[in-house]
Amino acid sequence: MCISILSTACYSLPERFVRGPPHNLQMKSQNFQHILSWQAGTNLTVPIHYRVLYTADRRNWNTAKRCSNITQLLCDLTEDFKDVDLRYFTVVQSFVGTEVFNSSLLDFGPSTETFLGPPEVNISSCTNCMNITVKLPTSHLRKNEKLLSLIDIYKELDYEITLKTRDGQHKRPREKTTSEIFSTIIEDLYPNRNYCVSVMVSASLNKLSISSPWKCVTAGSVTQQDYSIATITGAVCFSLMVVVVVISCMYAGGFFLQKKSLPHTLVFTNTFAYSPFTFESEEITFVEVTFKEVKKKAKEHSGYGSDEDDDDDSGSDTGSNHDYARRDIFSRAPFSSDTSNAFLQCSTDSTCEDSSSQASQNLDTDLEDFKEEEMNIEEGKGASTELLNPFSEVNCTSSGSRNSACFTINLKTVLLGTSEENIDSSTALLSSEKDKVDWQDSDAFESKLLDDTGTMQKPLCHNISREWQHSSGSDESDSSDSDTDQKTEYIRR
Amino acid sequence: MAAPAARHPCLWHGATLLLLLLPALGTALRCANLRTQQTTFNWDSLQLLLAMAPRLTHTCAQQDPTFPFPNTLLTIQDPQQATAAILHILDHLFTTLSSENTPAHWDAQAHQQLLNHVEHQIQHLQQCLPGAGRDSKTRVPLTHQLSIATYFRHIQNFLRTHNHSPCAWDSVRIEAHTCFQRIHNLTRIMAD
């Protein structure tokens, strides 16, 4: 019984107090950082010290720089394995009291047994493709105090890209690289599909590698955005083109920015100018009434403005201006500024000796210019029209003479047209409601003129002139300078 | 009958020419990318060597093997000479590892795979280097040939001296591992 007790104690002692060399040596190496680890062979409570030795030729042993007297069960041998092509043999010694235990030999070749990676991977999406940028991991190997790269060590590395989709994984062909940072583009990808990428690097004699973590991106997402932008841009451009074409056609067709059309009565009159029918007409006396001043509102009604005149054809400019002169007279009749008045020539049957006597008081300063401009017009155009100066001392006695100052005007028989047409045409001007509408936009005097079926008499002239004199200045918006310019501009026509 | 008879000789000549050229064409195709193929072989052989002979768990008595590897081989710059040198090294390595006294703790399957792998590579190099077979010494200079032979003779003497013990074979395994690293350096000089 005592023997059994002693034997049990003897068997248990080794299990409790184990003395032995370190064992289970393992080298964990990644990117040339070598960490040796082991298990203690002694479980005594006394402190145990370790020393790591290494050799390349198994003759000359060296002590690891950081592991000469350590108590931990691992040792960093990165700075000791400087020649990557050699195979190193390491041994771990444990010092238990005065006893020294040696571990088994561990051989290790850095260049063929260190794990390479993981590389740093960045991916970006492009149109039906993916751009992958790979950065090689840094090595821990130093030469002359300088960190060497994996390219410095291996000169050339292989990299392999693995694509993962919902359909599975696909390893792309292995490629070579001699750069620390390199990029590659994977094309022919399905748009709007998620792709994950993992990259591993290896050497020709070291296929031990650690792959990079999966990185995912959706391919072709930029494409969809580009398509939408392109579609919108194209639609906008097409719409603009259609609008431009429509506007051009409308402008060519004269739907806008056109000359103010003639009043219906005058248009109708023009058509009758070429009518095969002849109409008996009263004796016609050619009349030209000119205004001293071109007003803005008159321009609008007559349809002649500075811009419009520029747009008129040159060919019709003369005739139209001629007509404009006449028409403008009637349309602008009530318009007058504070400084100028309109003149009205009365019919031969009535005298208008004082028709504008009141108006003349305000027109003295303008009269000279007005006469001069009228003379220029006559010389320039050679028109047969003649401006009758109300201030001239011509009696209203002669009749049928074109030079007579006073005459009677039958509005219903007033002919509007070119000078040549007036002589030949025998069309009568028919007053109509429509004409009234066209003229009603003008001052009240205009409508009054048309409505007056009778001949214009002297009293009416007086009224007219008075009305003109007292025509509201509110209609006038132009300054005196502009009025002068307008007048000059008008006369030059 | 004259026209068909005229066509037949042409066909025969073409077929004959094709048959003569086929081996050369096949050889050319097989020898394409020889350096890449050799690189792959080197790595695969290392893995098989590791699988065949795992590290010994027990401590071996400190040995002092001296295997003088001819470092002059590492100065070869000619691709043809580099290829021939690789061929000679593999040939001697195959002879050493195919010994009947290999240790029992080695993995038999991995051992056989390694031997097959090395034999296949030797034949491949022989086909790509016409006239550089096992008995041909024209490609490699004599000095290099002698140094390679001396190196492996030392290994075989070491084994015999230590009675082909597991620890002796473990040293040989380690030396074979170093051999493949030196073959890898020569592979970089090979023509692509």
Side-chain angles (χ1 to χ4, degrees):
Chain A
M1 184 177 179
C2 294
I3 295 172
S4 63
I5 294 172
L6 283 174
S7 62
T8 305
C10 289
Y11 279 121
S12 64
L13 275 177
E15 295 177 4
R16 292 183 61 186
F17 304 100
V18 176
R19 291 169 181 261
H23 61 278
N24 197 16
L25 269 65
Q26 291 185 352
M27 185 74 75
K28 290 186 179 179
S29 177
Q30 183 173 350
N31 298 324
F32 293 92
Q33 183 184 32
H34 319 296
I35 306 295
L36 178 69
S37 63
W38 60 87
Q39 292 180 346
T42 304
N43 59 355
L44 294 176
T45 56
V46 297
I48 302 174
H49 297 271
Y50 299 97
R51 184 172 68 178
V52 178
L53 302 175
Y54 69 93
T55 181
D57 55 5
R58 282 183 285 189
R59 293 179 190 178
N60 303 314
W61 290 87
N62 302 304
T63 303
K65 294 177 183 177
R66 300 181 182 180
C67 313
S68 61
N69 190 12
I70 58 175
T71 57
Q72 59 267 26
L73 299 179
L74 54 90
C75 173
D76 189 348
L77 295 169
T78 302
E79 296 181 4
D80 300 293
F81 297 167
K82 293 183 179 179
D83 194 337
V84 297
D85 292 326
L86 299 179
R87 290 196 67 78
Y88 292 92
F89 302 90
T90 58
V91 65
V92 179
Q93 292 181 326
S94 62
F95 299 90
V96 182
T98 57
E99 294 181 275
V100 180
F101 298 94
N102 292 327
S103 67
S104 59
L105 213 60
L106 175 66
D107 62 299
F108 173 78
S111 63
T112 60
E113 294 182 48
T114 189
F115 278 79
L116 303 177
E120 187 178 321
V121 177
N122 287 315
I123 56 177
S124 60
S125 175
C126 51
T127 308
N128 292 339
C129 63
M130 183 192 310
N131 188 10
I132 303 174
T133 302
V134 181
K135 184 175 182 294
L136 296 179
T138 55
S139 79
H140 295 79
L141 184 67
R142 287 183 183 272
K143 187 175 182 181
N144 299 329
E145 302 301 323
K146 180 188 172 185
L147 271 178
L148 297 181
S149 66
L150 293 183
I151 296 296
D152 296 332
I153 299 169
Y154 291 106
K155 304 296 185 291
E156 185 180 73
L157 287 177
D158 301 329
Y159 67 94
E160 190 175 82
I161 298 173
T162 303
L163 269 181
K164 183 172 73 173
T165 64
R166 60 186 181 189
D167 300 330
Q169 291 187 14
H170 168 65
K171 279 192 176 182
R172 294 178 59 79
R174 191 171 293 176
E175 302 285 344
K176 294 188 181 294
T177 181
T178 57
S179 303
E180 289 287 325
I181 302 175
F182 56 92
S183 297
T184 183
I185 296 177
I186 299 178
E187 297 177 338
D188 299 329
L189 299 179
Y190 289 105
N192 301 324
R193 185 174 286 189
N194 193 42
Y195 289 91
C196 296
V197 169
S198 176
V199 181
M200 57 170 280
V201 293
S202 62
S204 57
L205 207 61
N206 186 355
K207 304 283 188 269
L208 302 176
S209 58
I210 301 173
S211 298
S212 67
W214 291 103
K215 279 202 173 180
C216 304
V217 75
T218 301
S221 58
V222 178
T223 303
Q224 186 181 10
Q225 187 180 359
D226 287 340
Y227 281 161
S228 64
I229 293 175
T231 304
I232 293 171
T233 305
V236 170
C237 291
F238 181 75
S239 303
L240 287 175
M241 285 175 57
V242 170
V243 169
V244 168
V245 168
V246 169
I247 291 175
S248 301
C249 292
M250 290 178 67
Y251 178 75
F255 285 94
F256 61 89
L257 296 181
Q258 62 180 341
K259 295 183 291 183
K260 187 182 177 75
S261 59
L262 292 174
H264 178 73
T265 303
L266 299 180
V267 172
F268 186 71
T269 301
N270 276 336
T271 58
F272 275 93
Y274 303 100
S275 170
F277 302 99
T278 58
F279 298 89
E280 293 183 0
S281 60
E282 296 182 18
E283 184 178 359
I284 299 169
T285 302
F286 194 76
V287 176
E288 179 178 7
V289 180
T290 60
F291 287 89
K292 180 176 177 63
E293 178 182 355
V294 176
K295 300 303 176 186
K296 187 173 185 182
K297 190 172 182 179
K299 280 188 181 178
E300 293 174 356
H301 288 284
S302 65
Y304 285 89
S306 59
D307 295 335
E308 297 169 2
D309 284 320
D310 295 333
D311 295 332
D312 293 342
D313 296 335
S314 60
S316 61
D317 201 14
T318 304
S320 63
N321 287 337
H322 212 75
D323 291 335
Y324 168 73
R326 295 195 201 90
R327 289 196 302 271
D328 193 55
I329 291 170
F330 289 98
S331 63
R332 287 201 248 132
F335 299 150
S336 62
S337 64
D338 296 334
T339 58
S340 64
N341 292 316
F343 295 91
L344 176 65
Q345 302 304 316
C346 302
S347 64
T348 54
D349 295 338
S350 62
T351 59
C352 303
E353 54 191 23
D354 294 330
S355 61
S356 56
S357 60
Q358 297 181 8
S360 66
Q361 297 175 4
N362 297 325
L363 293 174
D364 288 339
T365 58
D366 296 329
L367 178 57
E368 294 300 324
D369 295 335
F370 183 75
K371 284 184 181 178
E372 194 174 356
E373 290 168 352
E374 287 299 324
M375 291 301 293
N376 291 335
I377 289 175
E378 291 179 0
E379 293 174 0
K381 292 187 176 181
S384 58
T385 57
E386 181 177 355
L387 181 67
L388 302 177
N389 190 346
F391 297 117
S392 63
E393 299 178 354
V394 180
N395 294 327
C396 301
T397 53
S398 60
S399 62
S401 169
R402 297 187 65 182
N403 294 325
S404 61
C406 301
F407 45 84
T408 302
I409 300 174
N410 186 349
L411 293 180
K412 288 189 177 181
T413 61
V414 173
L415 296 178
L416 297 180
T418 58
S419 59
E420 294 75 13
E421 292 175 352
N422 285 336
I423 297 173
D424 297 333
S425 64
S426 56
T427 310
L429 178 66
L430 302 177
S431 61
S432 62
E433 290 300 325
K434 200 173 182 180
D435 294 337
K436 292 179 189 176
V437 172
D438 293 335
W439 293 95
Q440 277 174 359
D441 291 335
S442 314
D443 192 82
F445 174 73
E446 297 178 6
S447 58
K448 202 171 183 180
L449 273 177
L450 294 173
D451 290 337
D452 189 3
T453 56
T455 59
M456 293 170 55
Q457 302 297 329
K458 179 180 177 181
L460 185 59
C461 293
H462 281 290
N463 293 333
I464 292 172
S465 64
R466 289 203 186 94
E467 288 184 12
W468 284 352
Q469 290 177 22
H470 297 290
S471 60
S472 62
S474 61
D475 295 333
E476 311 304 324
S477 58
D478 297 337
S479 61
S480 59
D481 292 335
S482 62
D483 289 342
T484 304
D485 293 336
Q486 290 175 358
K487 179 189 66 179
T488 304
E489 185 179 1
Y490 162 69
I491 291 175
R492 282 179 184 162
R493 296 198 202 99
Chain B
M1 294 299 294
R7 270 190 245 123
H8 286 303
C10 292
L11 286 175
W12 279 113
H13 292 159
T16 306
L17 189 62
L18 189 62
L19 286 173
L20 290 174
L21 289 176
L22 270 177
L25 185 63
T27 303
L29 290 175
R30 280 193 299 270
C31 295
N33 300 323
L34 183 62
R35 186 172 74 178
T36 305
Q37 189 271 336
Q38 181 68 41
T39 301
T40 305
F41 164 82
N42 297 336
W43 172 253
D44 294 339
S45 301
L46 281 178
Q47 303 307 303
L48 288 172
L49 192 63
L50 188 63
M52 177 190 74
R55 294 188 179 94
L56 294 175
T57 56
H58 62 275
T59 305
C60 289
Q62 188 169 355
Q63 301 172 348
D64 190 9
T66 54
F67 307 127
F69 182 81
N71 291 323
T72 55
L73 291 178
L74 302 179
T75 62
I76 292 176
Q77 298 296 324
D78 182 64
Q80 295 284 345
Q81 287 188 12
T83 306
I86 292 173
L87 176 59
H88 280 279
I89 294 173
L90 288 177
D91 192 23
H92 284 283
L93 191 61
F94 175 83
T95 304
T96 304
L97 293 177
S98 59
S99 170
E100 298 176 349
N101 301 316
T102 54
H105 69 274
W106 277 11
D107 187 279
Q109 185 178 6
H111 181 206
Q112 192 59 44
Q113 286 179 350
L114 177 61
L115 290 178
N116 293 337
H117 195 61
V118 172
E119 175 69 15
H120 179 76
Q121 186 65 15
I122 290 171
Q123 292 177 0
H124 185 67
L125 290 175
Q126 283 178 342
Q127 291 171 356
C128 296
L129 282 174
R134 293 185 186 226
D135 299 330
S136 176
K137 305 293 187 290
T138 56
R139 293 284 179 178
V140 180
L142 186 60
T143 54
H144 290 168
Q145 296 175 32
L146 292 177
S147 60
I148 292 172
T150 302
Y151 169 69
F152 280 95
R153 189 165 58 246
H154 277 89
I155 293 175
Q156 291 169 1
N157 290 337
F158 176 81
L159 285 171
R160 274 196 296 272
T161 304
H162 292 83
N163 298 321
H164 299 92
S165 64
C167 289
W169 275 111
D170 195 61
S171 296
V172 173
R173 175 191 65 83
I174 293 171
E175 193 62 29
H177 198 286
T178 307
C179 265
F180 282 108
Q181 286 185 259
R182 293 169 183 140
I183 289 173
H184 176 69
N185 294 335
L186 289 170
T187 304
R188 292 178 178 176
I189 307 171
M190 282 176 63
D192 198 359

